[in-house]
Amino acid sequence: MSDRTIAVYAPAGCGGCSESLLMADRLPSLLDKVKIAFWATEPGDLTRAEIEGLAEGEIDLLLYAGPIRDEEEVALAKLLRRKAKRIVAYGACAHLGGLCGLANLTPGARLRTLPGSDGGFVRPLAAAIDVDYLLPGCPPPAGMIDRMIEGLFLSDEAVEPGTVFAEEKGVCAECGRRRLHRPLNEIKRFHVVKPDPDICLLDQGIVCLGPVTRGGCGAVCLKANRPCTGCAGPLGGIRDQGGAILQTLASLVRFSGEGRQAKERELLDAIPDPVGTAYKYTVASSVLKGRVDDAD
Amino acid sequence: MLTRVAPVGHLAEVILVRNEEGIAAKLPSPVSDGFSAYMRGRLAEDLPMYAERIDAESAVAHHLAATLALDSCYGVVPSAKASSIRRGLSAAGFYHRHLSQLLFSREGEGCGLSSLVVAGDVVEAEAAFSALRLAREAISILGGRGLTPERGIPGGMTSGLTEVEIGRVREIAEALLRFAIEVEEGFRETMVEWVMSEALSLPLPSLAIVDEDGKSSLFTGELRFVDPKGSLVVAGEDVLTLIDGDGPSLSDPYRVGILARLNASDGISTPKGQEALERLWNALGRPPIHRISAGYWGTVVELIEAAETLRDSLEGVTPGDEDLRSSLAEPGEGIGAIESADGTLIHRYVLDPEGIVQRAEAILPETAIRAEVEVGLALALAGADDVDDPLIDRIESVIRAFQPAFVPDASFPLRVTLRDEDGTAMKEWRRG
């Protein structure tokens, strides 16, 4: 195991993914067992020629963090695919497009001010190349990173391709708040009201993506008394995380009496910033993908 | 936002352009901005979590700058308790950022992780890594999450601390202080000669934040803009007129960060931090100090200051969620200014009456640092009419001089590219 080579490639994104690796308890164990081919956290760290200079399959495992923003990055990802035996889409941007995908709502947003680039359309890594494993989170929490290191480096058991290093159960399973099954008849915002820390936020009218989001983070946001924003992506079996939470909200809305349907519609229409709330990390990987303006 | 803004991180490349006037140097174009464009239409209360993803290495500072800007937008003054927790969070962020710089700014194999050394090998790598993790734990306790804090909201914090957490942060602060003192002693034993031998000195104006006594602040307070001689040009909210106004402008080169804090303040408010600062003054003289290498020394002084500030910030903070949220007024426009490890950071937002973002801007320390590096490069290139190895040496020495205050990793080689006026690469040098 001692001659395995890993590499970290994070040409875009906020840098949180590279930083998150340093928080993993298992990192020292990993560093004892691998050679590091490169740890590139800026586009300038690694040139195309340097990547081309690597032998095919020279890297045993590549951790790729950040979204795909334009054709140049597609080409580099394809090149890296040839050089790496296995690739992990590391963090929400590589996994889902991440917050960067919100740029797809702003036509013409300049994602990169590189010569000749007029901006692109954000996609998750899997839209450009085959990805072997997924490590969710923005950034991935230490527990999930440890799970990846344990699975890929410290265990003798083979890890199934397509493995997601998170829980199959949702964030709600880790939250610990009481669910009262109250009907949703008002949308509240967590900075305006003071949420009861023991009661489910949906019961209190606060939009929380816990029911549709993979667990594994320990419900850390809820424990800080703010809602889950869905950074670990959709639960297995859910194709579209944003659509799923909107559906969940719709199922919770219950008015009675005259004008019931109008009130329900009014409530759902009043969800502030529905895209930024329901699709915070998943615009780029959703069925929506982004905003398409009418042709002039 | 959301792709690296400006030259956060290390400087991997310098571009030289030959034109009729000689040789000019520039840094590669920043990798996108976009913060304003992406934030339009988003929820105000989400700004702290969006903002911290501008640059996760400075996530704590961005989170707090956004929170302060939202306080201003909602016309609210947070409680003393909320402010104390924020101040502690800021100090922990300072400590982590500075220690990261020290850990990863020396040359080494590969990614630099294999060459963990601090201050000339006088501190054990294991102890340094342990301190880094303790600082991260303090951020996690105070901010709710280790890398990307999430407790900041307009008017306060979403939740408070338990008695155990308060005790743990104090314990961490004491451990971090002991380590910082060890680092500072080691630094003086081994690195002072290097500081004194590095001659690059750039007299520039300084922008920093000071506390109510004029001492250096590692959080928020009063903005001060001083000229290269250290004389006050403008203070307080009037500094913000430099952003839009006439006269001295923030678009001209100025300095932020460690040296700027040294030059714009009247010292350090914490006792051991002040003692360490006086040792620096004894060697380098009283401010203004423009020697770039002094920033490295300043980093270890501020490590001590940050640990003391972290320890003191929770003095009198009671456990629990009470008294953490102040009532909000109608949303509007606001500005938040904070001192980050890299320098003064300003966020400015405009919200609509529903608390939806109409405009969001961030003035980043990296912009000022970038301009400062370019001033240094211009000095190195003065009078040059040809690109030869001695010139590349001078360029490299400028970049390396800034690295301690700039980057988490100098282990990558520096690339210098000569281009013609059309941008075509003519020749390339690699150093390091």
Side-chain angles (χ1 to χ4, degrees), chain B residues 263-309:
Chain B
N263 292 339
S265 72
D266 305 326
I268 287 174
S269 62
T270 64
K272 293 199 183 304
Q274 179 64 23
E275 285 171 21
L277 180 63
E278 283 171 14
R279 289 191 283 273
L280 182 153
W281 285 348
N282 288 339
L284 298 175
R286 298 287 294 233
I289 298 169
H290 296 294
R291 185 192 294 263
I292 302 302
S293 60
Y296 213 177
W297 193 340
T299 306
V300 299
V301 172
E302 287 191 344
L303 265 189
I304 295 175
E305 182 187 2
E308 288 184 295
T309 305

Side-chain angles (χ1 to χ4, degrees), chain B residues 86-382:
Chain B
R86 290 178 181 181
R87 183 165 169 255
L89 178 59
S90 184
F94 252 85
Y95 196 101
H96 190 277
R97 177 71 171 155
H98 275 346
L99 187 54
S100 299
Q101 302 276 17
L102 291 169
L103 277 171
F104 301 118
S105 63
R106 288 176 60 87
E107 291 190 40
E109 294 289 320
C111 67
L113 282 172
S114 54
S115 59
L116 292 174
V117 283
V118 175
D121 298 325
V122 296
V123 173
E124 290 292 328
E126 199 176 317
F129 223 140
S130 166
L132 199 64
R133 290 171 70 86
L134 283 177
R136 188 59 88 192
E137 186 185 343
I139 293 169
S140 182
I141 293 171
L142 296 165
R145 194 169 171 176
L147 261 175
T148 46
E150 53 194 4
R151 280 205 169 105
I153 47 170
M157 303 292 270
T158 55
S159 57
L161 306 171
T162 64
E163 199 163 348
V164 171
E165 286 173 329
I166 292 171
R168 178 62 183 152
V169 171
R170 287 207 181 107
E171 201 175 273
I172 289 172
E174 293 292 353
L176 294 180
L177 179 57
R178 285 193 296 276
F179 180 75
I181 289 169
E182 192 186 335
V183 169
E184 196 259 350
E185 285 170 357
F187 186 91
R188 280 186 290 112
E189 283 169 20
T190 58
M191 300 293 287
V192 170
E193 198 179 326
W194 171 80
V195 170
M196 305 304 281
S197 68
E198 291 287 313
L200 181 63
S201 181
L202 301 174
L204 288 170
S206 292
L207 174 67
I209 295 176
V210 296
D211 67 14
E212 59 275 16
D213 298 319
K215 307 286 188 185
S216 160
S217 169
L218 304 188
F219 181 38
T220 191
E222 184 181 69
L223 286 157
R224 262 194 198 174
F225 192 79
V226 301
D227 69 16
K229 290 181 178 167
S231 303
L232 184 66
V233 177
V234 61
E237 288 185 4
D238 290 345
V239 171
L240 298 171
T241 62
L242 300 181
I243 296 170
D244 303 317
D246 301 326
S249 161
L250 291 186
S251 60
D252 296 329
Y254 64 97
R255 174 174 290 132
V256 296
I258 298 158
L259 287 184
R261 288 192 283 273
L262 285 177
N263 292 339
S265 72
D266 305 326
I268 287 174
S269 62
T270 64
K272 293 199 183 304
Q274 179 64 23
E275 285 171 21
L277 180 63
E278 283 171 14
R279 289 191 283 273
L280 182 153
W281 285 348
N282 288 339
L284 298 175
R286 298 287 294 233
I289 298 169
H290 296 294
R291 185 192 294 263
I292 302 302
S293 60
Y296 213 177
W297 193 340
T299 306
V300 299
V301 172
E302 287 191 344
L303 265 189
I304 295 175
E305 182 187 2
E308 288 184 295
T309 305
L310 175 61
R311 179 195 61 196
D312 299 344
S313 64
L314 296 188
E315 205 63 48
V317 168
T318 52
D321 294 345
E322 297 74 29
D323 197 25
L324 276 177
R325 293 166 174 255
S326 302
S327 300
L328 307 179
E330 290 299 308
E333 187 170 347
I335 289 181
I338 189 174
E339 203 58 29
S340 77
D342 294 347
T344 309
L345 170 63
I346 300 169
H347 282 227
R348 182 160 65 169
Y349 305 144
V350 178
L351 308 180
D352 76 5
E354 302 301 317
I356 303 293
V357 179
Q358 299 302 298
R359 209 173 79 197
E361 296 166 351
I363 299 171
L364 306 172
E366 288 80 4
T367 309
I369 297 170
R370 180 188 177 86
E372 188 180 354
V373 175
E374 287 178 338
V375 171
L377 289 172
L379 200 67
L381 289 168

Side-chain angles (χ1 to χ4, degrees), chain B residues 59-101:
Chain B
V60 171
H62 279 290
H63 182 83
L64 289 169
T67 304
L68 291 167
L70 287 175
D71 288 347
S72 169
C73 288
Y74 280 93
V76 60
V77 177
S79 68
K81 180 174 168 179
S83 291
S84 295
I85 296 173
R86 290 178 181 181
R87 183 165 169 255
L89 178 59
S90 184
F94 252 85
Y95 196 101
H96 190 277
R97 177 71 171 155
H98 275 346
L99 187 54
S100 299
Q101 302 276 17

